[in-house]
mmCIF file of all heavy atoms in Angstrom:
data_model
loop_
_atom_site.group_PDB
_atom_site.id
_atom_site.type_symbol
_atom_site.label_atom_id
_atom_site.label_comp_id
_atom_site.label_asym_id
_atom_site.label_seq_id
_atom_site.Cartn_x
_atom_site.Cartn_y
_atom_site.Cartn_z
ATOM 1 N N TYR A 20 6.974 6.466 3.659
ATOM 2 C CA TYR A 20 7.138 5.648 2.289
ATOM 3 C C TYR A 20 5.731 5.292 1.799
ATOM 4 O O TYR A 20 5.500 5.294 0.530
ATOM 5 C CB TYR A 20 7.985 4.390 2.804
ATOM 6 C CG TYR A 20 8.267 3.458 1.631
ATOM 7 C CD1 TYR A 20 9.047 3.804 0.579
ATOM 8 C CD2 TYR A 20 7.911 2.109 1.713
ATOM 9 C CE1 TYR A 20 9.400 2.975 -0.449
ATOM 10 C CE2 TYR A 20 8.188 1.138 0.716
ATOM 11 C CZ TYR A 20 8.943 1.670 -0.389
ATOM 12 O OH TYR A 20 9.301 0.760 -1.340
ATOM 13 N N LEU A 23 4.425 8.357 0.125
ATOM 14 C CA LEU A 23 5.023 8.554 -1.241
ATOM 15 C C LEU A 23 4.434 7.635 -2.264
ATOM 16 O O LEU A 23 4.156 8.011 -3.335
ATOM 17 C CB LEU A 23 6.485 8.402 -1.133
ATOM 18 C CG LEU A 23 7.215 8.601 -2.358
ATOM 19 C CD1 LEU A 23 7.110 10.085 -2.797
ATOM 20 C CD2 LEU A 23 8.761 8.215 -2.105
ATOM 21 N N ALA A 30 -0.697 10.617 -8.478
ATOM 22 C CA ALA A 30 -0.215 11.635 -9.477
ATOM 23 C C ALA A 30 -0.074 11.061 -10.809
ATOM 24 O O ALA A 30 -0.539 11.691 -11.818
ATOM 25 C CB ALA A 30 1.163 12.028 -8.981
ATOM 26 N N PHE A 31 0.360 9.829 -10.955
ATOM 27 C CA PHE A 31 0.522 9.299 -12.243
ATOM 28 C C PHE A 31 -0.893 8.812 -12.745
ATOM 29 O O PHE A 31 -1.117 8.709 -14.073
ATOM 30 C CB PHE A 31 1.519 8.191 -12.337
ATOM 31 C CG PHE A 31 2.932 8.772 -12.297
ATOM 32 C CD1 PHE A 31 3.720 8.611 -11.130
ATOM 33 C CD2 PHE A 31 3.529 9.490 -13.185
ATOM 34 C CE1 PHE A 31 4.928 8.986 -11.033
ATOM 35 C CE2 PHE A 31 4.698 10.032 -13.133
ATOM 36 C CZ PHE A 31 5.465 9.899 -12.063
ATOM 37 N N LYS A 35 -2.952 10.989 -16.664
ATOM 38 C CA LYS A 35 -3.753 10.452 -17.763
ATOM 39 C C LYS A 35 -4.550 11.596 -18.444
ATOM 40 O O LYS A 35 -4.863 11.552 -19.566
ATOM 41 C CB LYS A 35 -4.638 9.304 -17.385
ATOM 42 C CG LYS A 35 -3.984 7.979 -17.041
ATOM 43 C CD LYS A 35 -5.024 7.027 -16.706
ATOM 44 C CE LYS A 35 -4.397 5.843 -16.152
ATOM 45 N NZ LYS A 35 -5.258 4.722 -15.773
ATOM 46 N N GLU A 44 1.737 10.278 -20.673
ATOM 47 C CA GLU A 44 0.930 9.085 -21.157
ATOM 48 C C GLU A 44 1.586 7.825 -20.942
ATOM 49 O O GLU A 44 1.089 6.875 -20.393
ATOM 50 C CB GLU A 44 0.437 9.277 -22.588
ATOM 51 C CG GLU A 44 -0.391 8.181 -22.983
ATOM 52 C CD GLU A 44 -0.715 8.140 -24.383
ATOM 53 O OE1 GLU A 44 -0.198 9.092 -25.211
ATOM 54 O OE2 GLU A 44 -1.493 7.334 -24.897
ATOM 55 N N GLY A 45 2.893 7.897 -21.241
ATOM 56 C CA GLY A 45 3.808 6.695 -21.062
ATOM 57 C C GLY A 45 4.018 6.281 -19.643
ATOM 58 O O GLY A 45 4.201 5.167 -19.191
ATOM 59 N N SER A 52 2.457 -1.044 -25.307
ATOM 60 C CA SER A 52 2.967 -0.494 -26.590
ATOM 61 C C SER A 52 3.169 1.026 -26.286
ATOM 62 O O SER A 52 3.773 1.689 -27.152
ATOM 63 C CB SER A 52 1.872 -0.765 -27.602
ATOM 64 O OG SER A 52 0.604 -0.068 -27.327
ATOM 65 N N LEU A 66 4.456 -0.168 -11.119
ATOM 66 C CA LEU A 66 5.326 -0.102 -9.906
ATOM 67 C C LEU A 66 4.567 0.314 -8.683
ATOM 68 O O LEU A 66 4.918 -0.147 -7.524
ATOM 69 C CB LEU A 66 6.474 0.664 -10.247
ATOM 70 C CG LEU A 66 7.725 0.688 -9.212
ATOM 71 C CD1 LEU A 66 8.284 -0.734 -9.108
ATOM 72 C CD2 LEU A 66 8.711 1.692 -9.584
ATOM 73 N N SER A 78 3.968 -2.679 7.677
ATOM 74 C CA SER A 78 3.319 -2.091 8.789
ATOM 75 C C SER A 78 2.375 -3.072 9.405
ATOM 76 O O SER A 78 2.090 -2.992 10.618
ATOM 77 C CB SER A 78 2.686 -0.769 8.433
ATOM 78 O OG SER A 78 1.670 -1.053 7.463
ATOM 79 N N GLY A 80 2.674 -6.336 9.823
ATOM 80 C CA GLY A 80 3.448 -7.152 10.634
ATOM 81 C C GLY A 80 3.898 -6.539 11.896
ATOM 82 O O GLY A 80 3.851 -7.060 13.016
ATOM 83 N N LEU A 104 -10.267 -8.027 7.015
ATOM 84 C CA LEU A 104 -11.566 -8.454 6.257
ATOM 85 C C LEU A 104 -12.384 -7.108 6.090
ATOM 86 O O LEU A 104 -13.279 -7.114 5.048
ATOM 87 C CB LEU A 104 -12.333 -9.326 7.171
ATOM 88 C CG LEU A 104 -11.720 -10.618 7.318
ATOM 89 C CD1 LEU A 104 -12.561 -11.585 8.392
ATOM 90 C CD2 LEU A 104 -11.747 -11.350 6.060
ATOM 91 N N ALA A 111 -16.468 -6.053 -1.718
ATOM 92 C CA ALA A 111 -17.565 -6.901 -2.107
ATOM 93 C C ALA A 111 -18.903 -6.057 -2.271
ATOM 94 O O ALA A 111 -19.558 -6.350 -3.207
ATOM 95 C CB ALA A 111 -17.738 -7.996 -1.066
#
Side-chain angles (χ1 to χ4, degrees):
Y20 187 60
L23 179 64
F31 287 112
K35 292 177 184 178
E44 180 186 6
S52 65
L66 189 63
S78 61
L104 291 174

